[in-house]
Amino acid sequence: MRGLEFKGLQSVEGPIIILERRENVGYGELARIRDRSGVVKVGRILEVSDSAVAVQVFGPTTGLSTEETSVEFLGKSLELRVSVDMLGRIYDGLGRPIDGYPEPFSSEFRDINGIPINPSARAYPQDFIQTGVSSIDGMNTLIRGQKLPIFSGSGLPHNRLAAQIIRQARLKTEESFVMVFAAMGVKYDVARFFIQTFEESGVLSNVVMFLSLADAPSIERLITPRCALTAAEYLAYEKNMHVLVVLTDMTNYCEALREISSIRGEIPSRKGYPGYLYSDLASLYERAGKVKTSTGSITQIPILTMPNDDISHPIPDLTGYITEGQIVLERELFQKGIYPPVAGLPSLSRLMKDGIGPGMTREDHKDLASQLFAAYSRTKQVRNLAAIIGEEELSTLDKNYLTFGDRFEREFLSQSETENRSIEQTLDLGWKVLTHLPREELYRIKEDLIEKYLPKTPIGR
Amino acid sequence: MVEGRIIRINGPIIQADGLARAGLYDVVEAGNLGLVGEIIRMNGDVATIQIYEDNTGMKVGERVLSHGEPLSVLLGPGLIGRIYDGIQRPLDELFQRTGFGIAPGVKTQPLDMERKWFFKPFCKKGDKLERGKPLGIVQETDYLQHPIYLPPNRNEGTLAEVCPEGTYSLTEPVARMGDGTELFLCHSWPVRNPRPYRERLGMEEPLLTGQRVIDVFFPISKGGTAAIPGGFGTGKTMTQHAIAKWCDADIIVYIGCGERGNEMTDVLREFPEIHDPRTGRSIMERTILIANTSNMPVAAREVSIYTGVTLAEYYRDMGYNVAIMADSTSRWAEALRELSGRLEEMPAEEGFPAYLPTRLAEFYERGGRVTTLEGKKGSITIIGAVSPPGGDFSEPVTQHTKRFIRCFWALDRDLANARHYPAISWIDSYSEYGEELRGFWEKVNADWAATRTEAMELLKREQRLAQIVKLIGPDALPDTSRLVLLCADMIKNGFLQQSAFDPVDMYSVPEKQVIILRLIMDFYNRALRIIRAGAPLLKLRSLSVIERIVRMKSQIPNEKLELVQEVKSLLDRELGDLEKEYKV
């Protein structure tokens, strides 16, 4: 009960404490725990029964004694104080300011769990976002209101790519974005890198940051993305802003979830992750989108590192089932020195079909992208063949494909971190690399488009 | 009414005591908000209840009410075109009432109780109303007749009163039985009980989907069951959308079970714009959506499948052909797993409960083609998407599903990566309905069975050759083998691949499907003879007819099949010249 502290616990096990049940304890609500030296921690009620309450503590439980600890039940679930003044501020993983300033002046609170968006209240996302990155704009277009994760591996430049997207993302209408950035279990230097990026591009005052770094208690990571998305929802759906949310690194979030699940003694499913990993991830990712009652939007770019570069690992696998596509980074391209190393074939944007074409990007975009995919896929086959029989033995057409693949990677995919290409530049580049193929190989493009856009002075032939 | 008290809360599973007189699977109102729940286990006076709404903030000691009724749906005119959640709460109306979020504890009526329907009685006072005899009829939409029957869970008897022709709302009785029971235009039915029918029938009629790879190679019958397994990004949802749009069922029940919210929005946005090629009406006028997206309460996801199939049975009983798209049954199985875990049951494979196969069987067996109580023929076709973790088909849900379906449309990662859609693998997929449907197809085109077998053989040979090509390159093969590769490519690009966005290609009538395939096979057979007579492959490869054949799918509209003649005569001319040259 609010204002009353109860002394004494029954047991402490890792981040979970169990105490005798008191009146008025609601499932999922918040508890405040004071240890023997008076330090206060926050916890959430996991289970209530007639005789006992289980509380999950967000913070270290080191030094918690069963007799000297007191608990207060707050009678509400975890809430975030929201205000437009959150922009430009830095919070910890539980939503408390850590930049030395007091909380923004506001009496509005929002439950960090949000409420599920009614599917019939959603507006279908179809506005093209220009990221200035050819591999994304041309091949895996990002749409406003989409959730498009970056699947990466350790050592790959996912943070640099995310930073570049943040710096360059523009809408055709020139409306601008505000950013919500959540770091879960990443090292300080990574957080520092993002802060610096925001500073350098002068957007720091448009960013809300939630940092739960690697040394913070792992359980805090379960709260961090929810705080971030609550802030994003407030800005988007109540203040009509366009919000770009970057969540990094979702793998750490899932690890924390597994840790808690195993402490609670739940039956594991694949690789020890709890059976509800899918639903839990969905409760985060599905908070992206647009609703009919507001003009704002939430675009999500979660970043995750695939353990051992394995895309079938439960974390990327379940993420891929929920998100609307994925940008996959490939180690082989990275080793060739290509930045950004966006893998051509496994990357996909599901919402692309509705956001490109005449009036949105350019009339040739759909056909061109489809042709580039098809040709690059053929290139991959030819490369495998060449590895076995040697390049000399290949037919002329196959050799054309090799040249095309090479140009595609070096000219189209590859660009510098500061290069901001317009969509027209990206598409023109696409046509340019296609000149390395004979014209009759362009079977996925309509005749009139070839006539109009294929460079007349053949570059490749 | 029985009242109990909550004694334990563990996520969506709670326990309450004092419910000794409540029954298993009774629906309850739990907590101060009156959240909808269902009793799933009884032990003494303690009931274990699963809650279908978000129960954060629920407290021990709050009350639980049971009305002694199982979880039911309301069936009556006005279902068509609506979008419901897993427990039949209308999402469109919830949006009007509570804004964009789904708040727990909101009570709504599934059907518009105020709306007046024009009812035309077929019976009069004193008639005996038997099961399956229509009491009257309501025109639900412009082209959908909605007969009103005696609800199958009511007793037969003599009609004491029948209201005259006129408009009635769902709250006004339209007839009274001799024993005093009033009959309305709607009634409720427990979702976990299959609705009765007279007898089951064979499945000789195909469900035409307009998708060439399905209709010709892996056809499904009306009343059949199919699974679409595939990893993420292979196009399960796209395939289901395409079938929902173009198949020749009268009613579509689309169950979005644990999937993306935007996919349902996409249906809501797109379906009203698309017109059924057979009736000319918007296809939303034949569609009911059940949406329990991945972020909505998990227990309601479990029940959404049953809600969907009960609505389907209701329309089947009127003699309609209904098709259910369940996307995805894996998410449903995961909901079972999650709830089973919270119940602390002993898990079987990968944490799934041991009763997973039983539940899958129960679900798929509610499909089928039947004679209804009235004597009409109706069917439910069930097409379930399966999302195997890591795209690995050996996992429990795919394996158990395979036991209860007869059509397996396996989606292939490599095809999807090359943007070959629909990415239905012609190697791993199968259909057991081929023989049953032979009669139908032979009427369309006498060559169907032969063409299909020939083409399949060609694709199988191509697959074997592809192994060799991977090692030594195509140039080392003899010309006859390279012709196989060429023609297999023609089948892939000109027949199997089908664009969901091309206005001509998105839907193919059966005649067009067989014609294209037959033409490719004719080309192959004649070309093979020419090559055997000594012509080099190059001569054949450079023929312009190849491109014409490959582009037929998007250049010849369904209603102008006579244009095929042009391609045929081009084929005759070009191959004829070569045949003359090489004296075939």
Side-chain angles (χ1 to χ4, degrees), chain A residues 47-50, chain B residues 6-10 13-16 60 344:
Chain A
E47 194 172 334
V48 207
S49 78
D50 236 2
Chain B
I6 299 174
I7 55 167
R8 186 178 173 206
I9 308 163
N10 176 11
I13 300 286
I14 67 167
Q15 283 181 341
V60 167
E344 286 154 18

Side-chain angles (χ1 to χ4, degrees), chain B residues 3 110 120-121 136 156 174 236 246 252 340 435 475 545 552:
Chain B
E3 188 172 327
K120 193 175 158 198
E156 297 181 336
V174 291
K236 291 181 296 297
W246 304 117
I252 306 287
S340 159
E435 273 313 300
D475 293 346
V545 71
M552 268 166 79

Side-chain angles (χ1 to χ4, degrees), chain B residues 349-350 388 391-396 398-399:
Chain B
E349 294 156 276
E350 293 194 16
D392 171 14
F393 290 174
S394 67
E395 59 90 38
T398 317
Q399 282 309 312

Side-chain angles (χ1 to χ4, degrees), chain A residues 126-295:
Chain A
Q126 41 191 353
D127 302 314
F128 166 69
I129 296 177
Q130 180 177 302
T131 64
V133 179
S134 293
S135 46
I136 297 178
D137 291 353
M139 310 282 285
N140 306 290
T141 316
L142 180 65
I143 302 293
R144 187 166 64 182
Q146 185 174 19
K147 36 193 182 290
L148 190 65
I150 299 178
F151 286 8
S152 182
S154 22
L156 295 181
H158 43 268
N159 292 326
R160 282 156 59 198
L161 178 60
Q164 186 172 9
I165 295 173
I166 290 172
R167 281 197 309 268
Q168 300 182 169
R170 291 284 174 280
L171 292 159
K172 276 267 162 181
T173 50
E174 293 298 320
E175 289 166 281
S176 63
F177 284 104
V178 296
M179 244 75 74
V180 173
F181 176 79
M184 292 156 280
V186 299
K187 289 191 63 64
Y188 175 74
D189 0 337
V190 174
R192 182 70 231 150
F193 166 77
F194 276 102
I195 296 175
Q196 210 170 345
T197 309
F198 295 140
E199 262 172 9
E200 279 165 11
S201 47
V203 294
L204 198 58
S205 60
N206 275 333
V207 186
V208 196
M209 266 187 270
F210 293 86
L211 305 178
S212 167
L213 300 181
D215 55 352
S218 68
I219 194 165
E220 207 181 279
R221 289 168 206 161
L222 300 182
I223 299 302
T224 314
R226 296 192 159 82
C227 286
L229 289 164
T230 306
E233 277 175 348
Y234 174 76
L235 295 173
Y237 303 149
E238 296 185 41
K239 297 293 158 199
N240 296 323
M241 295 179 179
H242 296 295
V243 188
L244 190 64
V245 182
V246 175
L247 306 168
T248 183
D249 174 332
M250 288 307 292
T251 306
N252 296 335
Y253 171 85
C254 297
E255 298 292 348
L257 201 65
R258 174 164 70 176
E259 202 177 314
I260 304 305
S261 165
S262 95
I263 292 170
R264 293 180 65 186
E266 291 168 342
I267 297 162
S269 65
R270 278 173 76 215
K271 298 210 173 176
Y273 291 95
Y276 51 81
L277 180 60
Y278 176 84
S279 304
D280 191 278
L281 283 173
S283 73
L284 299 179
Y285 297 142
E286 279 289 322
R287 289 172 79 173
K290 287 169 70 182
V291 294
K292 289 176 186 160
T293 50
S294 136
T295 54

Side-chain angles (χ1 to χ4, degrees), chain A residues 305-370:
Chain A
T305 44
M306 298 182 278
N308 203 17
D309 289 357
D310 176 11
I311 199 170
S312 66
H313 183 279
I315 299 172
D317 189 50
L318 295 179
T319 298
Y321 274 122
I322 305 164
T323 53
E324 284 137 354
Q326 64 277 337
I327 304 286
V328 184
L329 302 191
E330 193 181 275
R331 203 167 290 278
E332 200 190 318
L333 281 174
F334 179 63
Q335 284 161 349
K336 276 191 192 170
I338 287 163
Y339 171 89
V342 174
L345 304 181
S347 301
L348 170 76
S349 164
R350 292 168 190 266
L351 300 185
M352 179 173 176
K353 60 182 171 38
D354 297 299
I356 62 170
M360 294 172 283
T361 54
R362 211 167 74 181
E363 52 176 341
D364 55 328
H365 195 161
K366 267 181 203 175
D367 284 12
L368 179 68
S370 165

Side-chain angles (χ1 to χ4, degrees), chain A residues 26-27 47-50 116 118 120 126 270 278-279 282 286 317 321-324 347 350 353 373 385 388-389, chain B residues 7-9 11 57-58 91 100 102 233 258 260-262 265 269 294 301 331 387-390 419 469 471 501:
Chain A
Y27 165 73
E47 194 172 334
V48 207
S49 78
D50 236 2
N118 185 331
S120 63
Q126 41 191 353
R270 278 173 76 215
Y278 176 84
S279 304
E286 279 289 322
D317 189 50
Y321 274 122
I322 305 164
T323 53
E324 284 137 354
S347 301
R350 292 168 190 266
K353 60 182 171 38
F373 269 120
L385 183 61
I388 297 168
I389 62 170
Chain B
I7 55 167
R8 186 178 173 206
I9 308 163
M58 187 180 262
L91 290 171
F100 70 83
I102 300 176
R260 301 176 186 87
N262 274 336
T265 315
R269 177 187 67 115
S294 52
R301 193 194 299 169
R331 304 298 164 226
S387 322
R419 304 301 188 261
V469 170
L471 292 175
F501 309 110

